[in-house]
């Protein structure tokens, strides 16, 4: 490796760290074009933004491109894995070409960015030595986001991190995600994310990554720190009041620990205290969270609240769009603009939001084939993950 290539590799790793960090702090510049007001008022869903993460992704991609021999090899790796998504995006875009707007061009660009991000990250993490530093970085970032979310819920307003991407939060602002407890509106924890559900998704991954680190360390100071991080992250997930987050955490923990103990008992290994410790920490964290936030959590134990009703309405709109245009969809990024057409009633600007199910949303905008391609990508990667875990288990057995 030449000194020039080594320098580019170092720049690439630094920009990767900055890229991952910037995902947690959505700093952006909004272009206030006419499209931003197509819903009747300003909407993030129809506006154009340049994020700090976009810039760091470009730098990281450039570093990978230069240090690994040029565009041909790099893009072959990208297209090989998700080429059908790329093909269908172009086909759907061309199908709507006569009616395409700047909004369609923007969302096509964001899909292209997703493909570039996929290829860039997959290429970089072929270097297995980067896994552990990445896990620690991700866990630390989710830990701080949990603190921010808990703080927001306690004081019931923004905490002053606007420069880091924090939303303007107040229980009386329309469009801010809330729960209602005892007749009082309470904002949910956002951290610096655009919505609590998005924060919940990141915290969910952060919890499992932190548990993984906890299981695979023997240093006392790391064990102490990771226990605190697990505890705080579960508290943070709790104040997002994301029902999907709660459900995914429960199912994930059952599968995660069942896999660990199944392998231990199958090999007749003695289950020692270190194997039980993560379970104790998780259970204590969940019980403590429920004890502290019980009255508020119980408000989510219903399917008749306003949030559930609205979610159902959005999903029904999506189904109507799919019935109307099942093959090529309504157009990339256009579903929000046609909601009134398919619900048959006037909506307030803040009510015009994306369909609250990603696969329904993709089917409505890209058609059923586009949604099936995305589902196939998800399942194929899940299959490869399971196969990789099995391979590691078998390899460990052979070594023992």
């Amino acid at each position: 490796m030449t000194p020039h290539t080594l320098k580019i590799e170092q720049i690439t790793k630094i920009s990767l760290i900055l890229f991952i960090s910037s995902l947690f702090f959505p700093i952006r510049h909004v272009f206030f074009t006419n499209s931003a007001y197509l819903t009747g008022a300003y909407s993030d869903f129809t506006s154009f933004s340049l994020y700090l993460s976009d810039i760091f992704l470009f730098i990281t991609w450039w570093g990978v491109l230069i240090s690994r021999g040029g565009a041909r090899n790099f893009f072959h790796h990208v297209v090989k894995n998700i080429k059908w998504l790329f093909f269908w995006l172009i086909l759907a875009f061309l199908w709507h070409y006569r009616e395409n707007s700047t909004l369609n061009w923007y969302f096509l660009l964001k899909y292209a960015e997703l493909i570039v991000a996929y290829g860039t990250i997959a290429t970089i993490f072929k270097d297995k030595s980067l896994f552990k530093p990445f896990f620690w970085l991700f866990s630390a970032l989710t830990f701080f986001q949990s603190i921010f979310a808990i703080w927001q819920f306690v004081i019931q307003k923004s905490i002053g991190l606007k420069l880091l991407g924090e939303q303007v939060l107040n229980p009386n602002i329309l469009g801010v995600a809330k729960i209602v407890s005892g007749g009082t509106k309470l904002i949910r924890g956002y951290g610096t994310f655009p919505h609590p559900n998005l924060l919940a998704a990141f915290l969910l991954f952060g919890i499992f990554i932190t548990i993984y680190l906890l299981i695979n360390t023997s240093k006392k100071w790391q064990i102490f720190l990771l226990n605190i991080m697990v505890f705080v992250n579960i508290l943070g997930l709790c104040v997002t009041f994301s029902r999907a987050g709660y459900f995914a955490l429960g199912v994930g923990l059952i599968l995660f620990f069942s896999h660990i103990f199944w392998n231990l008992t199958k090999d007749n290994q003695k289950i020692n205290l270190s194997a039980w410790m993560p379970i104790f920490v998780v259970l204590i964290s969940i019980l403590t969270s429920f004890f502290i936030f019980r009255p508020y959590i119980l408000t989510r134990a219903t399917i008749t609240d306003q949030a559930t009703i609205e979610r159902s309405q959005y999903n029904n709109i999506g189904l109507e769009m799919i019935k109307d245009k099942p093959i090529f969809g309504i157009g990339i990024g256009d579903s929000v603009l046609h909601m009134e057409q398919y619900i048959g009633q006037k909506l307030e600007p803040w009510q015009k939001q994306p369909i609250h199910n990603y696969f329904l949303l993709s089917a409505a905008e890209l058609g059923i084939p586009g949604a099936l391609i995305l589902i196939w990508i998800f399942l194929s990667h899940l299959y490869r993950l399971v196969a990789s875990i099995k391979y590691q288990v078998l390899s460990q057995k052979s070594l023992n």
Side-chain angles (χ1 to χ4, degrees), residues 256-266 271 275-276 279:
F256 190 85
F257 288 117
S258 295
H259 172 74
I260 292 173
F261 282 98
W262 183 75
N263 283 303
L264 288 174
T265 55
K266 188 177 67 169
I271 302 175
W276 285 104
I279 294 181

Side-chain angles (χ1 to χ4, degrees), residues 103-383:
L103 196 61
N104 302 124
W105 281 98
Y106 176 72
F107 277 96
L108 181 65
L109 178 64
K110 298 307 287 185
Y111 267 108
E113 185 178 17
L114 172 65
I115 293 171
V116 169
Y118 169 86
T120 303
I121 300 300
T123 302
I124 289 176
F125 279 98
K126 284 184 177 180
D127 181 359
K128 300 295 192 294
S129 66
L130 294 176
F131 280 2
K132 196 166 184 180
F134 165 75
F135 287 164
W136 272 100
L137 174 63
F138 200 96
S139 296
L141 289 169
T142 54
F143 172 73
F144 286 112
Q145 287 291 332
S146 295
I147 293 174
F148 299 155
I150 295 166
W151 190 354
Q152 288 165 343
F153 183 73
V154 169
I155 68 175
Q156 281 298 295
K157 62 180 181 179
S158 308
I159 58 178
L161 298 177
K162 184 178 180 181
L163 293 177
L164 296 179
E166 184 187 24
Q167 304 291 304
V168 178
L169 304 176
N170 188 289
N172 299 316
I173 298 176
L174 290 175
V176 170
K178 314 174 190 71
I179 60 169
V180 179
S181 177
T184 303
K185 294 180 181 178
L186 300 168
I187 64 169
R188 296 160 58 186
Y190 273 69
T192 57
F193 285 88
H195 195 276
N197 290 346
L198 187 56
L199 171 61
F202 275 79
L203 292 184
L204 191 66
F205 281 104
I207 289 167
F208 285 107
I209 286 174
T210 309
I211 294 172
Y212 172 82
L213 290 172
L214 182 58
I215 291 172
N216 290 279
T217 188
S218 57
K219 296 179 180 178
K220 291 184 178 180
W221 71 268
Q222 290 185 356
I223 292 173
F224 176 76
L225 179 60
L226 290 167
N227 281 332
I228 293 175
M229 291 168 72
V230 170
F231 179 76
V232 173
N233 279 347
I234 289 177
L235 283 176
L237 179 64
C238 184
V239 299
T240 66
F241 299 100
S242 169
R243 280 174 284 214
Y246 295 165
F247 177 76
L249 178 66
V251 172
L253 288 173
I254 291 171
L255 294 175
F256 190 85
F257 288 117
S258 295
H259 172 74
I260 292 173
F261 282 98
W262 183 75
N263 283 303
L264 288 174
T265 55
K266 188 177 67 169
D267 297 334
N268 296 319
Q269 295 184 36
K270 184 178 179 181
I271 302 175
N272 54 35
L273 182 61
S274 62
W276 285 104
M277 181 181 293
I279 294 181
F280 291 148
V281 173
V282 169
L283 287 176
I284 290 171
S285 301
I286 292 174
L287 290 173
T288 303
S289 298
F290 185 77
F291 177 77
I292 295 173
F293 299 109
R294 180 175 176 274
Y296 312 117
I297 293 174
L298 292 179
T299 66
R300 305 294 282 170
T302 176
I303 58 172
T304 59
D305 61 309
Q306 188 60 32
T308 305
I309 293 170
E310 289 175 356
R311 181 183 294 270
S312 178
Q313 288 178 336
Y314 292 140
N315 290 343
N316 288 335
I317 291 171
L319 291 172
E320 291 301 317
M321 290 178 178
I322 295 167
K323 289 178 185 177
D324 186 36
K325 298 186 177 180
I327 306 301
F328 292 104
I330 202 165
I332 304 173
D334 274 354
S335 59
V336 171
L337 304 180
H338 297 279
M339 295 185 71
E340 289 182 340
Q341 173 187 341
Y342 287 93
I343 198 174
Q345 67 183 60
K346 182 71 175 176
L347 296 175
E348 295 296 327
W350 64 269
Q351 292 178 305
K352 297 175 184 178
Q353 300 180 27
I355 298 157
H356 284 32
N357 179 300
Y358 183 70
F359 295 112
L360 276 181
L361 175 62
S362 60
E365 295 190 345
L366 298 175
I368 294 174
L372 290 176
I373 291 170
L374 286 167
I375 292 172
W376 172 77
I377 291 172
F378 172 76
L379 292 178
S380 65
H381 281 73
L382 182 62
Y383 173 80

